[in-house]
Amino acid sequence: MTLMRLWQEYKTCHRDGYQYSWFSDQYRSWKNPVDVVMRQNHIAGDKLFIDYAGQTMPVVDQYTGEVRQTQIFAATLGASNTLRKEQAKLAKSEPSS
C-alpha cells in the first residue's frame, strides 16, 4: 500500500481532513519513532516466567571430580528486572527390567 492510497482512503472517510502534504508529514513523523521491540508492562508480583535454558551442560563436582550433565533452570518475576538461575539435578534413570 502506498502513502497516496492510504491518504485517499483517509479522505473518503474524512472529507474535511488533512491534505496530502500534511497527512504525509504526520504519517512519517508517526512512523519513524516506532520501535520494533515489543514492550510489556508487568505488575510487580503478578507473573513468574520460568524456563529451562536449553540443553544439558557438564558440571564437575569439586570434591569427587565426577562430571554430571545438568540442566539450568531460569526464572524471573515480570517486573523485577532480575534473573534467578539454578542448576537442576537430573534424576538418575534406572534400567528397565
Side-chain angles (χ1 to χ4, degrees):
M1 171 169 287
T2 65
L3 189 54
M4 176 62 81
R5 178 78 178 138
L6 187 62
W7 174 73
Q8 289 170 344
E9 288 183 10
Y10 163 77
K11 282 298 274 189
T12 60
C13 296
H14 304 94
R15 297 216 183 271
D16 295 329
Y18 302 130
Q19 295 306 312
Y20 180 74
S21 61
W22 182 257
F23 179 86
S24 59
D25 287 344
Q26 295 302 308
Y27 177 82
R28 286 187 185 100
S29 66
W30 168 79
K31 181 181 171 240
N32 288 338
V34 174
D35 194 359
V36 296
V37 176
M38 184 175 82
R39 304 257 183 244
Q40 295 182 352
N41 294 322
H42 300 289
I43 299 169
D46 185 44
K47 295 179 184 139
L48 175 66
F49 297 95
I50 58 173
D51 196 8
Y52 281 95
Q55 300 190 8
T56 61
M57 61 182 287
V59 175
V60 179
D61 185 309
Q62 66 179 348
Y63 301 109
T64 65
E66 176 189 8
V67 178
R68 295 178 295 150
Q69 293 297 316
T70 188
Q71 291 179 322
I72 302 299
F73 172 81
T76 186
L77 289 170
S80 71
N81 292 327
T82 61
L83 177 67
R84 175 76 179 174
K85 59 244 175 251
E86 294 288 335
Q87 170 187 336
K89 294 181 180 178
L90 298 177
K92 293 184 179 180
S93 59
E94 298 290 328
S96 57
S97 3

